[in-house]
Amino acid sequence: MLFSHVPDPEPAPGPADTAAGEPALDARWRAATTGWRSRSVDRDEQRTWAWVRHGWEALLDPGAGRAADVLLVAALLAVQQRFLAVGTEDPDTVELPDPREDGAPLEDAELLAVLGEHWELDAAEAGEDPEGFARLVGGFLQDHLTERSDEVLAALVERWGATTVFAQLWSLGRPGEVDADPDRPAFPLSTDEIAWIVSGVPAPEKHLAWEWVNR
């Protein structure tokens, strides 16, 4: 390992383990999320992971490898964090969760293979200037997650519609917007829940968030 975080040999179950979904995908979900730490979610941890799994299953490529699965999780978390930043800071420059630092199982070779599809990276530079190469890779990863989260948001809007995606994101971290029901999954939201969130005259923060989803 030249530049990435070295995870614990036996990561403890993470917060994503509580996110229920399609049982046939449980093993694949666990492989993509084991080791993610709570710090990767700003607020409403349990519901956020439930939403990430909901979106992850909707966009999952059946033939993708583990690195793509991990980075899809990271991109969905990035969508939520950028959405939360609207109105307070630039969503395009907000620091996004780094799968390596947050403990997700992403190896150097896997990451370089993904980033190498978009940027020129010479792994030999890692031996010549490990710190410089680490900063370079970290910067490219942030750029990749920003671009990937744009693609993920667009794909979710195409699949579910802007109103539904906005309501889902707005409901995260805002107690009282939806009533927790232990007898059913947190997502998808019901028609009444979506209507409640989007109804009425929006406050400036809500209007800006709506525009960001629809940009």
Side-chain angles (χ1 to χ4, degrees):
M1 292 285 181
L2 294 174
F3 52 83
S4 63
H5 169 78
V6 179
D8 297 332
E10 296 182 0
D17 292 336
T18 62
E22 175 59 47
L25 294 173
D26 280 349
R28 191 167 169 181
W29 168 255
R30 194 173 300 111
T33 57
T34 295
W36 279 95
R37 290 169 170 76
S38 296
R39 69 187 182 199
S40 58
V41 178
D42 281 347
R43 62 174 92 160
D44 204 354
E45 187 174 304
Q46 187 170 351
R47 279 181 54 79
T48 294
W49 280 115
W51 177 78
V52 169
R53 175 142 191 188
H54 185 52
W56 184 82
E57 291 192 357
L59 302 181
L60 196 62
D61 178 354
R66 187 170 62 99
D69 287 357
V70 170
L71 289 173
L72 178 56
V73 170
L76 285 158
L77 288 171
V79 169
Q80 192 245 1
Q81 292 211 349
R82 295 176 69 199
F83 181 85
L84 290 175
V86 174
T88 58
E89 56 184 306
D90 184 353
D92 290 336
T93 59
V94 65
E95 186 174 356
L96 302 174
D98 186 323
R100 301 164 304 159
E101 294 179 1
D102 284 335
L106 193 62
E107 301 295 334
D108 295 348
E110 293 176 314
L111 179 59
L112 289 179
V114 172
L115 297 181
E117 296 175 1
H118 307 277
W119 295 281
E120 291 186 8
L121 284 168
D122 184 358
E125 295 180 18
E128 300 169 2
D129 181 9
E131 293 184 2
F133 191 70
R135 287 193 298 270
L136 181 68
V137 170
F140 281 148
L141 178 57
Q142 287 289 307
D143 290 343
H144 176 74
L145 290 178
T146 298
E147 294 177 6
R148 183 76 176 106
S149 65
D150 282 338
E151 296 169 354
V152 163
L153 177 61
L156 292 177
V157 168
E158 183 177 0
R159 178 178 290 264
W160 292 329
T163 300
T164 295
V165 174
F166 170 80
Q168 291 174 347
L169 289 167
W170 188 261
S171 74
L172 299 176
R174 291 180 171 86
E177 289 286 0
V178 293
D179 294 325
D181 184 348
D183 295 326
R184 70 175 181 86
F187 296 97
L189 297 178
S190 69
T191 302
D192 288 344
E193 288 171 332
I194 294 171
W196 169 258
I197 290 171
V198 302
S199 64
V201 178
E205 179 190 1
K206 202 170 191 178
H207 180 70
L208 288 172
W210 168 257
E211 288 189 331
W212 185 78
V213 169
N214 285 275
R215 71 195 189 286

